[in-house]
Amino acid sequence: MFIKRTIGGSKENPIVYYQLVHSERDRNGVPRHKVIMNIGREDQIKNNPSLIDNIIKTLSKLSSSLIVVDKDEEFLSYSYIYGPLLLIDKIWEDILSIPSIIKKEIIEKGKIKVRFDIERAIRLMVINRLISPMSKLAISRWKRYLWDPDNTYAKIKPQHLYRTLDILSSFKEEIETRLYEKTLSLFYSEIEDDKSEEKEIKKGKAQKGNIEEGKIKEEKIKEGKIKGRKTKKVESEEEKIDKKKIEGDKIKDNKTKDGKAKDCKTTEPNAKEPKVKEGYTNIDPDNINSINNTNNTGKTTIDIVFYDLTTTYFESVKEDTIRRFGYSKDNKTDCTQIVIALIITPDGIPIGYDIFPGNTYEGYTIDSMLKKLKERFNLKKVIVVGDKGILSNKVLAEIERYGYEYIVSAKLKSLPKRYHKEILNLENYHRVYPYFRIKRNQTQDNQENEKEPDILFTHEISIGTKRLILGYSEKRRKREERQREILLEKIRNTLSRHPNETFTKSSYKRYLTIETKGHTRIDEEKIEKQKIWDGFFGFYTNNKKLSAKEVVSIYRMLWKIEDRFRMLKSQLHLRPIYHWTRKRIEGHILICFLSLYISVFIEKRLEKSGIIDEIMEEIEDEEEVEETGKAGKIDEYLEGYSVSTVSYVMDKLKEISVIKINTLLGIIYSRMSMDNIHKNILKLFSVKIPPTILREIKEDDTKKKIRSKTRKKTKAKNETCTKPNTDTKTNTKTSPKAKSKTKTKAKTKNKSKNKDKKIENE
């Protein structure tokens, strides 16, 4: 089908016509033009351009796939956030089923009755934390940028958000326990299923292999090449020898006469390098005593948890029961703060948290955490991993009283001097497998530092009933030496300007002495004493089964909880908190905890797939192409692995927006196009790819809506104009008592008037 230009009339006065023609073949196979419609004369169309526009407009009504837009008008009006909502809604509803948790725990069991949708209010605050964190008051304005065809978010007002925080604070424990159950079913049951599948596959392969080997051996025996089963024994002995070679990673390394370790770059001849995924920090390549166990009931449990604390501040100096001045990890000594304790699994999945006043000592927080693990999560055997902050005999005794084990960082310098000689003697140490750490911001141009070997040496001594696992790392020694030199350089610079300067920090004082005249100087003897301890570290544990290598490997995973704190503070914007009441503070932190859980879930799903590699490649490509602009943003992404993936995925999905298009026939809401990364991310979470046109409102429908609105407005105006005065009605329908009162008032007025007239006449 096409538009044909035909010339008619006479030679002296030719007339040009336009026709809509369809080409087809007749019975003889000759192509013919069938005229569908005569558009008109060329001179009339040129003189009247609106004629052709009206024809196209009328014909477009018959089309079901084409959209006609007037280029002289503004046909693109608004854009709405859509891509992140597809992902978050899928996780919220289908995977985590949080609406059912809220319905059962808050509405049904808690018997909370409100006149707004509390589940939608919670979801709105979580969506905001994951996409663009801001205050609750700002959310009420920001929500209009979300794709909300049912107007569910539009109905939520600022007071509904504040009321929701007050309600959430009372249901923290119920939500925690339900999320813990989800953690077991989503993450740890899958691991066991995978293991059982692998075992079945191995069994099937072994059976097939045995059958095939048996057939081959029978044929060889018939031919006279093999006698008996001697070859089997030889093969099994060779396999045993190979296994012994591979497992020989705890060989005591030779030391020099000075007691120092040899070059750390040398590796064992028979040792295999562990496979490391790019972007990850590698831990011990061997098993860490199985992270997942099953109890007698058959349910999967967690047997290692990591525990740590952080602080978050308020833009205030007013103290109350929870907001207190204390040791600030954010260096905000002039602001009140609270202490937040977090519990995570070895995979980095958060399972619980607690809030304490800002002046709480870290050791006093352990009791509530142990109660939570024992009573609510029903964990019978757990290894609690923590840093030096919780180290005290009282805390360790309390962990043992609950029947749990611990791995806690030790303060080696504070030990009695009788242990120092054995700790500092490297001849007592054994070499363990090297760890390789791949830098996260690695580029193709920087291939030298692709792998940084970190070879460890371990030793074990007993102090009382506790095991003290000692370690030495050459890489750690170099790092501590470098940090000390930077610190000493700062001290020298300040003393050159101010010789009588007093230093308050303990990290500075350990290298200084104050002379009689008040001058401060650097003490070289103190520096030498500190140098001796460079590279040494230790851990206390009451576990009798774990080897020294496994203890070090487990403690090295404590960086994951620091990564979760970084996600809370930088990505989800936990701080500063602008709420003042305790309930709203607790509700705000619970919203951040839910957002953190969803972020970790997204991260774990991405780890299993190969999409992370595509994302990181795209980040590197963008960094190479654009040296400015996005480069700064990419550097922020690459600072932390989890922050880079989750935040980049959210920014990537923001590209899928919904646009409002004003067409000649009405209004159309269309989504933006998707590339392969968009589709792969959504498919990974079983999100259906939505159609291009999400909603279509015809011109007739819009006119009807406008007419109905105008009718309602005119009716309201007419009603206000025709309404009788309520005051006159009340006056006309008066009681007899009121009538008598009015009559007496009138009589008194008349009497007073008559008196005045008499006085005037006199």
Side-chain angles (χ1 to χ4, degrees), residues 188 253 279 325 327 339 372 440 524 553 635 642 647 684 756:
Y188 295 102
D253 201 8
F325 286 103
Y327 174 71
V339 176
K372 183 181 293 185
R440 292 165 182 158
E524 296 295 335
S553 302
D635 292 337
S642 59
S647 60
L684 180 64
D756 293 334

Side-chain angles (χ1 to χ4, degrees), residues 317-375:
V317 293
K318 291 182 180 179
E319 288 188 315
D320 53 27
T321 55
I322 191 166
R323 294 182 297 161
R324 296 278 186 177
F325 286 103
Y327 174 71
S328 175
K329 295 188 178 183
D330 300 321
N331 295 323
K332 287 280 186 178
T333 54
D334 57 338
C335 297
T336 55
Q337 65 178 16
I338 58 171
V339 176
I340 300 172
L342 185 65
I343 310 167
I344 68 166
T345 65
D347 297 320
I349 303 159
I351 58 173
Y353 73 96
D354 276 314
I355 305 167
F356 302 95
N359 58 352
T360 307
Y361 168 62
E362 291 189 14
Y364 297 154
T365 64
I366 199 79
D367 185 56
S368 63
M369 184 270 291
L370 296 172
K371 281 181 182 177
K372 183 181 293 185
L373 296 175
K374 194 80 173 178
E375 296 171 6

